Amino acid sequence: MRTPPRFDRGHTDDLMTFLASSPTPYHAVASAAERLEKAGFRQVAETDAWDGSLGGKYVLRGGAIIAWYVPEGATPHTPFRIIGAHTDSPNLRVKPRPDSGAHGWRQVAVEIYGGPLLNSWLDRDLGIAGRLSLRDGTSRLVNVDRPLLRVPQLAIHLDRSVTSEGLKLDKQRHLQPIWGLGDDVHDGDLIAFLEGELGLPAGEVTGWDLMTHSVEPPAYLGRDKELLAGPRMDNLLSVHAGTAALASVAGSGDALPYIPVLAAFDHEENGSQSDTGADGPLLGGVLERSVFARGGSYEDRARAFAGTICLSSDTGHAVHPNYAERHDPTHHPRADAGPLLKVNVNNRYATDGSGRAVFAAACEKAGVPYQTFVSNNSMPCGTTIGPITAARHGIRTVDIGVAILSMHSARELCGAKDPYLLANALVAFLEG
């Protein structure tokens, strides 16, 4: 029986708000937590003893969030249905000694995070955001969401080879943004500026995790506004859809045969090997504690994991009209044609035939079309948290996502319908 769609264009409108308010993984999980709180979820601390009560709970750790909903009738061995995603995006991140400059320009020293399209960061107005660690052991989020920095491109008059040989950027020399004028560079200037932005006393900040972001807001694009342009859709589009789906299922009052879960990890763009990454212990620890808090044994934990399924939701490649030869000739995913089922026989994606059947059933139930993505054999295939989740936890995992253009650019592009088509499919998956 088909489930009526729960999300429409309003979901895409809300995605734009989510993207704009989430310039860093720390802001993204705070935004997700705020939405879950409104749906009745409550935060639990990892340092506290957990109880087996019903309802929605979530754990925050750095730039990661794990949220779950224990429905009426759940047993210690009830399996989980997990939506997996990641909160980080390629960008320029501030170095430990950020204050630099030369020749009358004041600059901020940055390090390249992940694999960004470097040219997309040139001549773009940038803000700065992240997490500040304070002297008393607490932390504060900061977001200077106005034009503050800029990476200026070299004028063509000073590099005529650009027209014949293409743009060549040295990551160390050519991507350091400017943020002012002056010959005197003083250590601590940037952090003192951020302390002033938050009204903190001088010297209060003792640590920081800061990064740049484009301040241009998300926007509908095209003659009929059928496209969405915005930052960090890889992979906040999936984090937003998973949050909305979990909140919707938790608030439906329907009987659920599974425990629905959202697992949004940090550090996917550089390998997931961290305490907040998919290759760390966070997800397994939370799921196990949930089982044990409900009176379960190791046997219950094993039974629950054996029946668990994860949808690893990450953006994929829509066919590019100017580079169609880079795609597999029989697999040309299109914008607004529904989410992708991502397949790779070398296990760069975790999907197999049984996983395909699970996703196909969810899409059929939701009345959502879906399409299949396979890489061109001549092109190396990227990967996701899917294979990591499957291997680390022994959980059946399926890789899916929304087709976009300009992946890893400072500003990406998708169809305006695909975000809510994905969310509706995720609802059907969580409902089982």
Side-chain angles (χ1 to χ4, degrees):
M1 181 177 179
R2 179 177 295 183
T3 300
R6 297 187 181 182
F7 300 109
D8 53 20
R9 183 77 169 218
H11 175 87
T12 306
D13 293 339
D14 188 62
L15 170 62
M16 296 167 70
T17 301
F18 186 82
L19 293 173
S21 64
S22 305
T24 75
Y26 313 111
H27 290 82
V29 298
S31 297
E34 181 181 5
R35 284 164 165 75
L36 291 172
E37 289 274 355
K38 291 179 179 177
F41 284 67
R42 61 181 177 88
Q43 184 177 0
V44 294
E46 293 184 82
T47 53
D48 291 344
W50 291 4
D51 60 48
S53 58
L54 305 180
K57 305 178 181 70
Y58 67 91
V59 166
L60 290 181
R61 183 193 290 183
I65 182 171
I66 310 293
W68 67 102
Y69 177 78
V70 181
E72 192 78 39
T75 67
H77 59 264
T78 296
F80 301 93
R81 284 232 164 172
I82 304 168
I83 298 169
H86 67 88
T87 60
D88 59 321
S89 300
N91 58 13
L92 311 180
R93 301 205 170 187
V94 175
K95 287 185 174 180
R97 296 187 63 186
D99 300 292
S100 66
H103 307 291
W105 298 100
R106 298 179 66 193
Q107 294 176 279
V108 173
V110 297
E111 189 174 4
I112 310 304
Y113 178 81
L117 287 172
L118 298 178
N119 61 292
S120 72
W121 290 87
L122 301 178
D123 297 330
R124 190 179 292 275
D125 296 339
L126 304 175
I128 194 166
R131 179 179 63 177
L132 301 176
S133 298
L134 308 186
R135 191 171 297 280
D136 64 2
T138 63
S139 63
R140 290 277 299 276
L141 297 184
V142 62
N143 181 13
V144 183
D145 194 31
R146 64 179 187 271
L148 182 67
L149 308 101
R150 185 179 179 92
V151 182
Q153 189 169 188
L154 184 65
I156 192 171
H157 313 81
L158 302 179
D159 185 11
R160 298 287 184 180
S161 67
V162 168
T163 56
S164 58
E165 299 177 15
L167 179 65
K168 298 179 181 179
L169 295 172
D170 182 284
K171 292 180 180 180
Q172 178 64 34
R173 293 184 296 126
H174 299 153
L175 289 161
Q176 307 306 312
I178 61 173
W179 75 306
L181 299 172
D183 290 311
D184 295 328
V185 176
H186 302 287
D187 283 343
D189 278 355
L190 176 65
I191 300 306
F193 165 76
L194 295 176
E195 287 173 334
E197 288 289 302
L198 291 182
L200 296 171
E204 187 68 16
V205 174
T206 56
W208 52 88
D209 301 281
L210 298 167
M211 56 204 77
T212 63
H213 66 277
S214 171
V215 298
E216 185 180 2
Y220 287 115
L221 183 146
R223 183 192 65 183
D224 299 318
K225 297 184 178 180
E226 65 225 293
L227 300 170
L228 175 64
R232 300 176 295 280
M233 285 196 273
D234 177 15
N235 185 33
L236 294 189
L237 188 157
S238 295
V239 175
H240 176 257
T243 302
L246 179 60
S248 176
V249 169
S252 68
D254 296 339
L256 298 173
Y258 303 97
I259 295 174
V261 179
L262 169 68
F265 302 100
D266 201 353
H267 302 128
E268 188 272 349
E269 297 293 355
N270 62 7
S272 296
Q273 292 184 322
S274 71
D275 69 321
T276 54
D279 203 19
L282 181 58
L283 176 61
V286 169
L287 298 185
E288 286 181 348
R289 291 185 68 178
S290 173
V291 170
F292 299 151
R294 285 178 279 119
S297 62
Y298 183 81
E299 181 72 10
D300 291 313
R301 178 258 188 219
R303 293 175 64 187
F305 276 45
T308 292
I309 306 173
C310 174
L311 288 188
S312 165
S313 182
D314 202 347
T315 53
H317 302 293
V319 62
H320 197 302
N322 300 336
Y323 301 91
E325 73 282 358
R326 302 296 182 99
H327 300 263
D328 182 85
T330 60
H331 295 80
H332 279 180
R334 298 190 175 196
D336 274 358
L340 304 176
L341 180 73
K342 299 157 76 172
V343 179
N344 180 266
V345 295
N346 292 303
N347 212 41
R348 300 294 285 174
Y349 303 131
T351 307
D352 62 10
S354 65
R356 179 189 181 104
V358 170
F359 186 60
C363 289
E364 182 179 2
K365 179 182 178 183
V368 169
Y370 73 94
Q371 41 193 342
T372 304
F373 172 81
V374 177
S375 289
N376 186 311
N377 285 329
S378 300
M379 302 286 170
C381 181
T383 190
T384 68
I385 66 166
I388 294 171
T389 302
R392 182 170 182 83
H393 305 295
I395 290 172
R396 184 160 45 137
T397 304
V398 187
D399 272 295
I400 66 165
V402 162
I404 70 171
L405 293 181
S406 306
M407 187 182 293
H408 286 200
S409 171
R411 195 167 178 85
E412 297 161 325
L413 185 71
C414 74
K417 295 179 182 178
D418 276 332
Y420 64 81
L421 292 177
L422 172 64
N424 285 327
L426 295 181
V427 167
F429 167 72
L430 292 180
E431 290 178 334

